[in-house]
């Protein structure tokens, strides 16, 4: 069956790479990208300027393209959400409900919506956090994702909507800038290692957080979207991880490439409080069993990829 795909919030860290992957798989014209802002480089296929909160315009876009798949990426991320909690709640909830309702109305075959490890909280187990456990997120981002998961499962159970979701950990990538999350240090550190050979980290040296290299995240997302529906036991959101790492471990790895690299640590950054409430590592055995999840990038491979690609970028700009 021919696919017509819409990505909402396509100009961000994930959308930039997801659009490339989906276009190379399904063809340029089959993937419509859309965002509230114009893309920084001209889109390789159809693009629509759209605010996901504007239901009428959103509906017109669904009507124009009659999508078979929709990926909703527009959201306010963790650190930015804490600066404007009501706005974060509104975008993360109303945007999702608009898309779920229109997906039912237009009989969209599959919807992808990302959740986050932020759905866990201070009383969730910290190590190898399981799929099902106490969840008491204390950021607006976290509880908007938790409520979003409930809505996704509800639309699946009540309306038969084929919604699929992943609780992404921190995503590490070099093609697009990160959007204001708590794990962004793991991207900034590479940029500054190359430009200044030093970095001041906003998280403490031993703050372990689950992370995933973007190439793995995109591969995993496509694998989930292609998996037979009958294999998917989870319609809220799948735990998923690549590796767990601390700023200190990452800086040790970077020093293997840039021996004079130094790292210092800023105290009392509000993002530390968020990081302290999140898991240090994740148990993603449901994703392994249901759709064959297996990450490819460890800390050595991702450090190598980040430095090589960012260095090439610096040399060509
Ligand atoms: P991002 O902030 O980089 O990109 C979000 C995009 O949405 C931006 O291009 C922005 O312009 C657009 N947008 C904002 N408001 C909009 C609106 N009203 N209408 C239409 N578009 C709008 O975020 P990202 O890192 O690409 O994350 C995408 C999704 O993945 C989010 O739901 C996020 O919560 C989730 N996620 C990301 C990470 C990560 O590490 N990047 C981790 C866990 C979950």
């Amino acid at each position: 069956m021919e696919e017509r795909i819409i990505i909402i919030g396509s100009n961000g860290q994930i959308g930039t790479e997801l659009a490339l992957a989906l276009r190379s798989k399904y063809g340029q014209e089959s993937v419509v990208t859309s965002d509230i802002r114009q893309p920084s480089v001209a889109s390789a296929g159809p693009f629509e300027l759209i605010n996901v909160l504007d239901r009428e315009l959103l509906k017109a876009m669904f009507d124009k393209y009659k999508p078979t798949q929709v990926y909703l990426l527009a959201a306010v991320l963790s650190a930015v959400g804490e600066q404007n909690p009501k706005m974060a709640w509104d975008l993360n909830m109303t945007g999702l409900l608009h898309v779920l309702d229109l997906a039912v109305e237009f009989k969209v075959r599959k919807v992808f919506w990302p959740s986050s490890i932020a759905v866990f909280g201070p009383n969730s187990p910290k190590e190898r956090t399981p799929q099902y456990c106490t969840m008491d997120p204390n950021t607006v981002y976290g509880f908007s994702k938790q409520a979003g998961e409930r809505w996704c499962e509800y639309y699946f159970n009540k309306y038969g909507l084929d919604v699929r979701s992943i609780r992404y950990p921190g995503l590490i990538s070099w093609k697009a800038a990160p959007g204001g999350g708590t794990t962004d240090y793991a991207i900034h550190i590479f940029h500054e290692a190359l430009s200044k050979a030093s970095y001041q980290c906003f998280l403490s040296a031993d703050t372990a957080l689950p992370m995933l290299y973007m190439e793995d995240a995109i591969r995993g997302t496509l694998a989930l979207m292609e998996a037979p529906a009958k294999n998917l036991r989870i319609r809220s959101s799948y735990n998923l991880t690549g590796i767990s790492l601390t700023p200190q471990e990452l800086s040790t790895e970077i020093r293997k490439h840039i021996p004079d690299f130094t790292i210092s640590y800023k105290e009392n950054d509000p993002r530390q409080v968020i990081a302290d409430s999140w898991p240090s590592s994740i148990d993603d055995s449901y994703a392994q069993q249901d759709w064959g999840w297996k990450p490819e990038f460890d800390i050595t491979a991702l450090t190598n990829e980040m430095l090589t690609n960012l260095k090439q970028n610096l040399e060509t700009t």
Side-chain angles (χ1 to χ4, degrees):
M1 180 189 177
E2 200 195 322
E3 298 287 351
R4 291 177 306 281
I5 298 172
I6 292 179
I7 307 175
I8 301 163
S10 60
N11 292 355
Q13 192 196 357
I14 300 175
T16 303
E17 305 213 25
L18 186 65
L20 286 171
L22 288 171
R23 282 189 166 142
S24 94
K25 188 171 168 61
Y26 296 106
Q28 311 276 46
E29 297 304 313
S30 303
V31 180
V32 180
T33 51
S34 70
D35 203 285
I36 199 168
R37 54 192 169 99
Q38 290 288 352
S40 52
V41 284
S43 178
F47 173 82
E48 299 281 343
L49 200 59
I50 197 105
N51 181 346
V52 72
L53 297 177
D54 185 335
R55 199 178 187 286
E56 285 317 303
L57 265 186
L58 197 65
K59 182 172 177 175
M61 181 166 74
F62 274 64
D63 201 26
K64 181 172 170 187
Y65 294 102
K66 311 268 185 325
T68 58
Q69 292 186 35
V70 174
Y71 292 72
L72 170 59
L73 303 178
V76 175
L77 271 65
S78 56
V80 178
E82 290 311 285
Q83 287 155 24
N84 199 337
K86 302 263 168 50
M87 189 265 280
W89 176 258
D90 190 35
L91 175 57
N92 295 2
M93 284 294 91
T94 311
L96 173 61
L97 288 171
H98 281 172
V99 170
L100 292 176
D101 280 338
L102 289 170
V104 172
E105 188 179 334
F106 284 84
K107 300 189 170 48
V108 174
R109 284 203 307 120
K110 289 181 210 171
V111 174
F112 179 79
W113 170 83
S115 183
S116 159
I117 56 161
V119 291
F120 298 110
N123 290 296
S124 307
K126 263 226 141 349
E127 302 292 338
R128 289 191 54 76
T129 307
Q131 178 72 35
Y132 298 107
C133 59
T134 298
M135 291 162 90
D136 57 345
N138 55 13
T139 61
V140 66
Y141 178 68
F143 57 79
S144 73
K145 289 293 186 188
Q146 189 184 33
E149 290 188 3
R150 297 290 91 224
W151 277 117
C152 287
E153 192 185 86
Y154 187 82
Y155 271 68
F156 173 75
N157 286 333
K158 188 142 183 176
Y159 306 111
L161 184 66
D162 189 348
V163 197
R164 303 174 181 209
S165 176
I166 288 173
R167 290 172 180 156
Y168 289 131
L171 299 180
I172 302 182
S173 68
W174 56 272
K175 284 191 186 146
T182 303
T183 53
D184 288 5
Y185 91 84
I187 298 174
H188 298 152
I189 193 171
F190 289 105
H191 286 265
E192 300 203 10
L194 287 167
S195 62
K196 303 197 292 196
S198 68
Y199 178 62
Q200 189 186 42
C201 186
F202 56 76
L203 297 184
S204 67
D206 57 354
T207 304
L209 287 169
M211 303 275 184
L212 186 62
Y213 190 56
M214 186 63 86
E215 205 173 304
D216 272 340
I218 300 294
R219 199 173 42 77
T221 304
L222 297 193
L224 171 64
M225 290 303 276
E226 284 157 17
K230 65 175 175 25
N231 292 4
L232 305 179
R233 285 175 288 175
I234 291 168
R235 292 302 184 151
S236 51
S237 191
Y238 277 93
N239 271 12
L240 196 85
T241 192
I243 38 167
S244 265
L245 50 87
T246 66
Q248 191 164 35
E249 285 161 353
L250 199 49
S251 63
T252 305
E253 200 60 39
I254 291 174
R255 229 169 269 124
K256 293 180 188 165
H257 300 257
I258 305 169
D260 56 349
F261 174 69
T262 57
I263 184 163
S264 58
Y265 298 94
K266 185 179 164 208
E267 279 176 23
N268 301 323
D269 189 283
R271 288 166 285 192
Q272 183 69 52
V273 182
I274 301 178
D276 289 341
S277 76
W278 286 0
S280 313
S281 60
I282 294 283
D283 173 358
D284 60 11
S285 43
Y286 280 88
Q288 294 173 31
Q289 288 159 18
D290 290 5
W291 43 279
W293 167 245
K294 191 171 186 297
E296 286 176 0
F297 285 81
D298 61 10
I299 188 170
T300 306
L302 83 79
T303 301
N304 197 26
E305 284 280 307
M306 286 297 286
L307 290 174
T308 308
N309 287 304
L310 287 174
K311 200 165 165 212
Q312 251 166 28
N313 263 8
L314 277 175
E315 283 163 4
T316 51
T317 50

